[in-house]
Amino acid sequence: MSQPRTPAQVLRDARQKDSRDKRGRVLSTVDRLLADNEPITFTGVARAANVSHWLVYAAGMREHIDAARRRQTRATTNDTRAATIAPAGWKVEQQLLQQDNRRLREEVDRLKTAIRRNLGQQLDQLGAADLSTRVNELTALNQRLQSDLERAQALITDLTGQLNEAHDDLAAARTSIRQLIRVENTASATP
């Protein structure tokens, strides 16, 4: 026969069950937000799971939420949803950079094709005596085109760096806003 439980044991068991239920709601809410590709924030998880802010920052919960946020950040870097969140100016700048890159690649391909075609035609037309002179001219032209290509690639690298800096600035601004919201939430929660 089991002994009757004391009121303290009943209360402790009820609190443990309530704690397990709340933690389970937090974990399922985080998984649902991740699956729905919704932004995962501590405040958002606490509201969606209907639990206290303290619980989402508690050991075990915080690590799970941070891991989900990191997965979501990695997943959205190339996602079109992340592009819709970015300011319009940055989207335009990114599109312009992509168009410039595409245009430069097409121009390089076109120039290579033209050089090959012209070289073949001219070699057919020239005699053996003119070949060495023509090869020197084509070598100089090739070097000039190579330097043009290197300048274009340097420009692409520079513009990509500027775009990365803009993305870093955006991430820093978002982090600052989150911290301000967190401070504001903490201030409004304290009487």
Side-chain angles (χ1 to χ4, degrees):
M1 285 191 147
S2 65
Q3 296 180 355
R5 298 188 312 170
T6 65
Q9 290 172 329
V10 172
L11 184 59
R12 186 186 72 234
D13 290 344
R15 285 188 179 178
Q16 287 176 348
K17 181 184 180 304
D18 186 49
S19 177
R20 282 191 306 271
D21 291 345
K22 287 181 179 179
R23 287 175 182 263
R25 282 198 321 255
V26 168
L27 295 176
S28 65
T29 299
V30 169
D31 293 339
R32 181 180 49 80
L33 290 173
L34 193 58
D36 293 343
N37 203 20
E38 293 292 325
I40 297 175
T41 63
F42 288 94
T43 302
V45 170
R47 283 186 188 146
N50 196 22
V51 296
S52 68
H53 282 85
W54 175 87
L55 181 61
V56 295
Y57 287 103
M61 298 292 101
R62 179 184 186 95
E63 292 79 6
H64 187 75
I65 293 171
D66 280 338
R69 291 175 74 184
R70 283 191 299 274
R71 281 194 309 267
Q72 190 176 53
T73 302
R74 283 192 301 266
T76 58
T77 15
N78 294 326
D79 192 9
T80 56
R81 183 178 183 126
T84 60
I85 295 172
W90 289 1
K91 284 190 265 183
V92 170
E93 185 176 338
Q94 184 178 13
Q95 289 173 349
L96 290 175
L97 287 173
Q98 289 171 345
Q99 289 172 357
D100 284 346
N101 287 348
R102 193 176 310 114
R103 183 183 51 77
L104 289 172
R105 284 188 196 108
E106 289 171 357
E107 186 175 345
V108 166
D109 290 341
R110 185 180 50 77
L111 290 173
K112 284 181 180 178
T113 304
I115 288 173
R116 286 185 191 120
R117 190 178 324 111
N118 288 337
L119 181 61
Q121 289 173 355
Q122 291 173 4
L123 285 176
D124 289 342
Q125 294 171 358
L126 293 178
D130 297 330
L131 283 180
S132 63
T133 306
R134 189 62 186 147
V135 166
N136 291 337
E137 290 174 2
L138 290 174
T139 303
L141 177 64
N142 187 27
Q143 289 173 350
R144 201 167 49 245
L145 290 173
Q146 272 305 88
S147 65
D148 289 347
L149 175 63
E150 289 171 3
R151 280 195 300 274
Q153 288 173 335
L155 178 62
I156 289 170
T157 303
D158 184 45
L159 292 174
T160 303
Q162 291 175 8
L163 180 62
N164 288 337
E165 285 180 24
H167 281 296
D168 291 344
D169 291 345
L170 175 62
R174 285 182 179 159
T175 302
S176 297
I177 289 172
R178 279 191 213 111
Q179 289 173 348
L180 288 173
I181 290 171
R182 204 173 292 138
V183 167
E184 184 65 29
N185 286 341
T186 305
S188 65
T190 349

